[in-house]
Amino acid sequence: MDVVLLSRLQFAAATMFHFLFVPLTLGLAFLLAFMETMYVRTGDEDYLRMTKFWGKIFLINFALGIVTGITLEFQFGTNWSRYSGYVGDIFGSLLAIEATTSFFLESTLIGVWIFGWKKLSKKAHATVMWLVAFAGSLSAIWIITANGWMQHPVGFTIRNGRAELSDFMAVVTNKFAILELIHTLSASYVLSAFFIMGISAYHLLKKQHVALFTKSFRIALYFGIVSTLVVVVEGDTHGVHVTEVQPVKLAAMEAHWETTTRAPIHLFAIPDEENGKNLIEIGSIPGLLSFLGYHDFNAEVKGLNDFPKEDRPPVFITFVAFRLMVGLGTLFLLLMFIGFLRRNKLSDSPLFLKAMLWAIPLPYIAIECGWVLAEVGRQPWIVYGLMRTSDAVSPIASVQVAMTLLGFVVVYGLLGAAGFYLIVKHARKGPDAPAKS
Amino acid sequence: MVLETIWFFLWGLLWAVFFVTDGFDFGVGALSPFLAKTEKEKRVMMNAIGPLWDGNEVWLITAGGVTFAAFPLVYAVMFSSLYTALMLILFSLIIRGVSFEFRHQIESPAWKKIWDTCFFMGSVLPAILFGVAFANIFKGIPIDQDGVLQGNLFTLLNPYGLLGGVLFLLLFLEHGALWLSIRADAGLKDRSVATAQKIWPLLLAVAVIFLVATAFATPLYDNYLKNPVLFLILVATVAGLVGTKFFLNKAAYFKAWFASALTITGTTFFGVTGLYPNMFPSSLNPAYSLTAFNASSSPLTLKIMLTVIVIFIPLVIGYQIWAYTLFKDKVNDKELTY
């Protein structure tokens, strides 16, 4: 295998593994801060037990997110050195700003939170978790701004044989990045909500710690409903913007080959990338793609065949990832709606609780699909329209990359298994018994 | 010209702070199998750095990020040409990081053994490899005009590179032993103090050999000979080393730790100042070397980043000092978290 493909696989493995932990960190941090604040304000010990229970799971997840995050910053240099040299003026600054403004705060304060229960006042301790939560989401702002720039580069000029920053404000107010940010953050909050509701459902089904888990469930439910609605509304705007700046990605995510008006969406299709058509199309809804892209059922949508073959992303992966993401998102909306109706009789809704337990992995799948769509759909570009992925790779031997890819698969596989085991163990065990008064 | 020079020394400073802060974490990890006699002592060692290691490690992320932002070509060539060494550091940091959170989760000797090994390996390897990498940078790396390494990991494991590795390991061992002298109690504290005493002459000997070898293996002294006032950096470094011993003898462990921090900072700046304006010199042809001037970002980026650094780094230092003061006392048995 060549060094480009190996490096892409390594990047995909490292990034997708990292992103198994990031969303829960982002969302759960706010919920923990909220729970601890409720404890400080009401003095209700249930909230303290709740904070400690979810906190344990949070920290295992957080540790895995932290250690896998370092890889991400290093691998631009190790594996994508030509990319780093070409765009470092802009991209590198965003990563450095992230570390300085956000990651420092998050990493320093998490240590204070873990060890500071008896060293700080209750109020100060809860404030520390709020800061951890804000720092986490602030991190996301910078990282997504960096990714948004790769999706839709702005604010630069080509000078001295590289992309140099010409307008910093344009980079930080990049509409693509802002939409992507709202999408990623709210999707992460949805994931966290499902995680809490799923584990709470497990205990509610077993009729243990009912009061504590009913509270947890409701907190997550309200958080989740708001977040899901944000994803839906933003997703709609996002579609229009992708159509505007990345028309070929839109065409690929719908396997749309010929330029037409009243362009349809196929519920399912098998694209034939060689011959530029779909082998099978099932459940075609005319005009829906035109509406998605232009908010007009009659709009003309450019098809893949009108883009040079060497500029098209892999269609099948992009198409499937989009379908899975949207399909699951719709399911989440439905589950949230049922949850809202059943919010006051959760313990009497075993079927719903069971569904919520089994729904835990689904937002993970949806969020990974979202990244596959964003990143694979951007191919063959590493920076859309500016630099090709094949030109970005480091001048290193493929055997080196093969070795480290193997290393990542083995080490991450083992750590993932251990982390999964520990989280399941704690989740099942439930919170500590209430302190005897 | 001025902007690039400011950035060059900021770059050196960030590495120095990383070595000072995470350096004692590495030292504690590397000493863990030798100093802890009981399960409780093992936990005390982990808890002595438990609240701080994560914030310390971000200095590495920032040093890396700033290299990327201010000197993209250095970042690109350094990280890709030192590929295998960097990946080893990365894997080490990964297993070290999780060992804190994982070790205490299951009460099984076999499980704990796994994470004790990860904690140890994940501390020793980076300590040595950072030394090897920086010594090789001082010496010059065989990179061609495209920044491609003409060699492999073993090219880096030359005598001077290995000497750098030993020097860094000893610096961090001393630094870690001093931190434990501050935060550990009873037997563990006594053993830490004794270790710091034992390592000190070794460190002194290796430091002297390193300084002499540097004259033969690298062009670092050229800058000093051109501008002898710079020898003050070396004087400060030596003062730190002597001060470490002086305060150690007086059982003033905090002061000894600060003196050790001065030694580490001085060592880093000794190298960085000798390199200037080179950042990643080529041993094949000086024309291929990456310098603060031919590898830097645009003036606009450098200015924006400087603004960010000037505002936020003092803030970071502020809240990190606060965190350090929270966790500077003896590790309390009842608060063993890890």
Side-chain angles (χ1 to χ4, degrees), chain B residues 10-51:
Chain B
L10 268 177
W11 175 77
L13 182 66
L14 289 170
W15 282 107
V17 179
F18 165 62
F19 292 140
V20 166
T21 54
D22 220 9
F24 69 84
D25 300 330
F26 291 143
V28 170
L31 290 170
S32 59
F34 309 106
L35 289 189
K37 302 282 176 213
T38 61
E39 165 66 14
K40 205 197 97 190
E41 287 183 352
K42 277 186 188 153
R43 294 188 65 192
V44 169
M45 288 186 80
M46 251 188 181
N47 282 270
I49 56 175

Coordinates of all heavy atoms in Angstrom, one line a residue, chain B residues 10-51:
Chain B
L10 N 10.9 32.5 22.4 CA 9.7 32.0 23.0 C 9.5 30.5 22.8 O 9.1 29.7 23.7 CB 8.5 32.7 22.3 CG 8.0 33.9 23.0 CD1 6.8 34.5 22.1 CD2 7.5 33.6 24.4
W11 N 9.9 30.0 21.6 CA 9.9 28.6 21.3 C 10.8 27.8 22.3 O 10.4 26.8 22.8 CB 10.4 28.5 19.8 CG 10.6 27.1 19.3 CD1 9.6 26.2 18.9 CD2 11.8 26.4 19.1 NE1 10.2 25.0 18.5 CE2 11.5 25.1 18.6 CE3 13.2 26.7 19.3 CZ2 12.5 24.2 18.3 CZ3 14.1 25.8 19.0 CH2 13.8 24.5 18.5
G12 N 12.0 28.4 22.5 CA 12.9 27.7 23.5 C 12.3 27.7 24.9 O 12.3 26.7 25.6
L13 N 11.6 28.9 25.2 CA 11.0 29.0 26.6 C 9.9 27.9 26.8 O 9.9 27.3 27.8 CB 10.5 30.4 26.7 CG 9.9 30.7 28.1 CD1 11.0 30.6 29.2 CD2 9.2 32.1 28.1
L14 N 9.1 27.8 25.8 CA 8.0 26.8 25.9 C 8.5 25.4 26.1 O 8.0 24.6 27.0 CB 7.1 26.8 24.7 CG 6.2 28.1 24.6 CD1 5.5 28.2 23.3 CD2 5.2 28.1 25.8
W15 N 9.6 25.0 25.4 CA 10.2 23.7 25.6 C 10.7 23.6 27.0 O 10.6 22.6 27.7 CB 11.3 23.4 24.6 CG 10.7 23.0 23.2 CD1 10.7 23.7 22.1 CD2 10.1 21.8 22.9 NE1 10.1 23.0 21.1 CE2 9.8 21.8 21.5 CE3 9.8 20.6 23.6 CZ2 9.1 20.7 20.9 CZ3 9.2 19.5 23.0 CH2 8.8 19.6 21.6
A16 N 11.4 24.7 27.4 CA 12.0 24.7 28.8 C 11.0 24.5 29.8 O 11.1 23.7 30.8 CB 12.8 26.0 29.0
V17 N 9.8 25.2 29.7 CA 8.8 25.1 30.7 C 8.2 23.7 30.7 O 7.9 23.1 31.8 CB 7.7 26.1 30.5 CG1 6.6 25.9 31.6 CG2 8.2 27.5 30.6
F18 N 8.1 23.1 29.5 CA 7.6 21.7 29.4 C 8.6 20.8 30.2 O 8.1 19.9 30.9 CB 7.4 21.3 28.0 CG 7.3 19.8 27.8 CD1 6.2 19.1 28.4 CD2 8.2 19.1 27.1 CE1 6.1 17.7 28.2 CE2 8.1 17.7 27.0 CZ 7.1 17.0 27.5
F19 N 9.9 20.9 29.9 CA 10.8 20.1 30.6 C 10.8 20.3 32.1 O 11.0 19.3 32.9 CB 12.2 20.3 30.0 CG 12.4 19.9 28.6 CD1 13.1 20.6 27.7 CD2 11.8 18.7 28.1 CE1 13.3 20.2 26.4 CE2 11.9 18.3 26.8 CZ 12.6 19.1 25.9
V20 N 10.6 21.5 32.5 CA 10.6 21.7 34.0 C 9.4 21.1 34.6 O 9.4 20.5 35.7 CB 10.7 23.3 34.3 CG1 10.3 23.5 35.7 CG2 12.1 23.8 34.0
T21 N 8.2 21.3 34.0 CA 7.0 20.9 34.6 C 6.7 19.3 34.4 O 6.7 18.6 35.4 CB 5.8 21.6 34.1 OG1 5.7 21.5 32.7 CG2 5.8 23.1 34.5
D22 N 6.7 18.9 33.2 CA 6.4 17.5 33.0 C 7.7 16.7 33.3 O 7.6 15.5 33.6 CB 6.0 17.2 31.6 CG 4.8 16.1 31.5 OD1 4.3 15.8 32.6 OD2 4.5 15.6 30.5
G23 N 8.8 17.4 33.4 CA 10.1 16.7 33.7 C 10.0 15.9 35.0 O 10.5 14.8 35.2
F24 N 9.5 16.6 36.1 CA 9.4 15.9 37.4 C 8.4 14.7 37.3 O 8.6 13.7 38.0 CB 9.3 16.8 38.5 CG 7.9 17.5 38.7 CD1 6.9 16.9 39.3 CD2 7.8 18.8 38.2 CE1 5.6 17.5 39.4 CE2 6.5 19.5 38.4 CZ 5.5 18.8 39.0
D25 N 7.4 14.9 36.5 CA 6.4 13.8 36.3 C 7.1 12.6 35.8 O 7.0 11.4 36.2 CB 5.3 14.2 35.4 CG 4.5 15.3 35.9 OD1 4.4 15.5 37.1 OD2 3.9 16.1 35.1
F26 N 8.0 12.8 34.7 CA 8.7 11.7 34.1 C 9.7 11.1 35.2 O 9.8 9.9 35.2 CB 9.6 12.2 32.9 CG 8.8 12.7 31.7 CD1 9.2 13.8 31.0 CD2 7.6 12.0 31.4 CE1 8.4 14.1 29.9 CE2 6.9 12.3 30.2 CZ 7.3 13.4 29.5
G27 N 10.3 12.0 36.0 CA 11.2 11.5 37.0 C 10.5 10.6 38.0 O 11.0 9.5 38.3
V28 N 9.4 11.0 38.4 CA 8.6 10.2 39.4 C 8.2 8.9 38.8 O 8.4 7.8 39.4 CB 7.4 11.0 39.9 CG1 6.5 10.1 40.8 CG2 7.8 12.2 40.7
G29 N 7.7 8.9 37.6 CA 7.3 7.7 36.9 C 8.5 6.7 36.8 O 8.4 5.5 37.0
A30 N 9.7 7.3 36.4 CA 10.8 6.5 36.2 C 11.4 5.9 37.5 O 11.9 4.8 37.5 CB 11.9 7.3 35.5
L31 N 11.1 6.6 38.6 CA 11.6 6.1 39.9 C 10.6 5.2 40.5 O 10.9 4.4 41.5 CB 11.8 7.3 40.8 CG 13.0 8.2 40.5 CD1 13.0 9.5 41.4 CD2 14.3 7.5 40.7
S32 N 9.4 5.1 40.0 CA 8.3 4.4 40.7 C 8.6 3.0 41.1 O 8.3 2.5 42.2 CB 6.9 4.5 40.0 OG 7.0 4.0 38.7
P33 N 9.2 2.2 40.2 CA 9.4 0.8 40.6 C 10.5 0.6 41.6 O 10.6 -0.4 42.3 CB 9.9 0.1 39.3 CG 9.8 1.1 38.2 CD 9.7 2.4 38.8
F34 N 11.4 1.6 41.7 CA 12.5 1.5 42.6 C 12.3 2.1 44.0 O 12.9 1.6 45.0 CB 13.7 2.2 42.0 CG 14.0 1.7 40.6 CD1 13.7 2.5 39.5 CD2 14.4 0.4 40.3 CE1 13.8 2.1 38.2 CE2 14.6 0.0 39.0 CZ 14.3 0.8 37.9
L35 N 11.5 3.1 44.1 CA 11.3 3.8 45.4 C 10.2 3.3 46.2 O 10.2 3.3 47.4 CB 11.2 5.3 45.2 CG 12.4 6.1 44.7 CD1 12.2 7.5 44.8 CD2 13.6 5.7 45.6
A36 N 9.1 2.9 45.5 CA 7.9 2.4 46.3 C 8.1 1.0 46.8 O 8.3 0.1 46.0 CB 6.7 2.6 45.4
K37 N 7.9 0.8 48.1 CA 8.0 -0.6 48.6 C 6.7 -1.2 48.8 O 6.6 -2.4 48.9 CB 8.8 -0.5 49.9 CG 10.2 0.1 49.9 CD 11.2 -0.9 49.2 CE 12.6 -0.2 49.1 NZ 13.3 -0.7 47.9
T38 N 5.7 -0.4 49.0 CA 4.3 -1.0 49.3 C 3.3 -0.4 48.3 O 3.6 0.5 47.6 CB 3.9 -0.6 50.7 OG1 3.8 0.9 50.7 CG2 4.8 -1.0 51.8
E39 N 2.2 -1.1 48.3 CA 1.1 -0.6 47.4 C 0.7 0.9 47.7 O 0.5 1.7 46.9 CB -0.1 -1.5 47.6 CG -1.5 -1.0 47.1 CD -1.5 -0.8 45.5 OE1 -0.6 -1.3 44.8 OE2 -2.4 -0.1 45.1
K40 N 0.7 1.2 49.0 CA 0.4 2.5 49.4 C 1.4 3.5 48.9 O 1.0 4.6 48.4 CB 0.3 2.6 51.0 CG -0.7 3.8 51.4 CD -0.5 4.2 52.8 CE 0.5 5.4 52.9 NZ 0.9 5.7 54.3
E41 N 2.7 3.2 49.0 CA 3.7 4.1 48.5 C 3.6 4.3 47.0 O 3.8 5.3 46.4 CB 5.1 3.6 48.9 CG 5.3 3.8 50.4 CD 6.7 3.3 50.8 OE1 7.5 2.8 50.0 OE2 7.1 3.6 52.0
K42 N 3.2 3.2 46.3 CA 3.0 3.3 44.8 C 2.0 4.3 44.5 O 2.1 5.2 43.7 CB 2.6 2.0 44.2 CG 3.8 1.0 43.9 CD 3.3 -0.2 43.2 CE 4.5 -1.2 43.1 NZ 4.1 -2.6 43.1
R43 N 0.9 4.2 45.3 CA -0.2 5.2 45.1 C 0.2 6.6 45.5 O -0.2 7.5 44.8 CB -1.4 4.8 46.0 CG -2.0 3.4 45.5 CD -3.3 3.1 46.2 NE -4.3 4.1 45.9 CZ -5.5 4.2 46.5 NH1 -5.8 3.4 47.6 NH2 -6.4 5.1 46.2
V44 N 1.0 6.7 46.6 CA 1.5 8.1 46.9 C 2.3 8.7 45.8 O 2.1 9.9 45.5 CB 2.3 8.0 48.2 CG1 3.0 9.4 48.5 CG2 1.4 7.7 49.4
M45 N 3.1 7.9 45.2 CA 3.9 8.4 44.1 C 3.0 8.9 42.9 O 3.3 10.0 42.4 CB 4.9 7.4 43.6 CG 6.0 7.1 44.5 SD 7.3 6.0 43.9 CE 8.3 7.1 42.9
M46 N 2.0 8.1 42.6 CA 1.1 8.5 41.5 C 0.3 9.8 41.9 O 0.1 10.7 41.1 CB 0.2 7.4 41.2 CG 0.5 6.8 39.8 SD -0.8 5.7 39.4 CE -0.1 5.1 37.8
N47 N -0.1 9.8 43.2 CA -0.9 10.9 43.6 C -0.1 12.2 43.8 O -0.6 13.3 43.8 CB -1.7 10.6 44.9 CG -2.9 9.7 44.7 OD1 -4.0 10.2 44.5 ND2 -2.7 8.4 44.6
A48 N 1.2 12.0 44.0 CA 2.1 13.2 44.1 C 2.1 14.0 42.9 O 2.3 15.3 42.9 CB 3.5 12.7 44.5
I49 N 1.9 13.4 41.7 CA 1.8 14.2 40.5 C 0.5 14.1 39.8 O 0.2 14.8 38.8 CB 2.9 13.7 39.5 CG1 2.7 12.2 39.2 CG2 4.3 13.9 40.0 CD1 3.7 11.7 38.1
G50 N -0.4 13.3 40.4 CA -1.8 13.1 39.8 C -2.5 14.3 39.5 O -3.1 14.4 38.4
P51 N -2.6 15.4 40.3 CA -3.4 16.5 40.0 C -2.7 17.4 39.0 O -3.4 18.3 38.4 CB -3.5 17.3 41.3 CG -2.9 16.4 42.4 CD -2.0 15.4 41.7

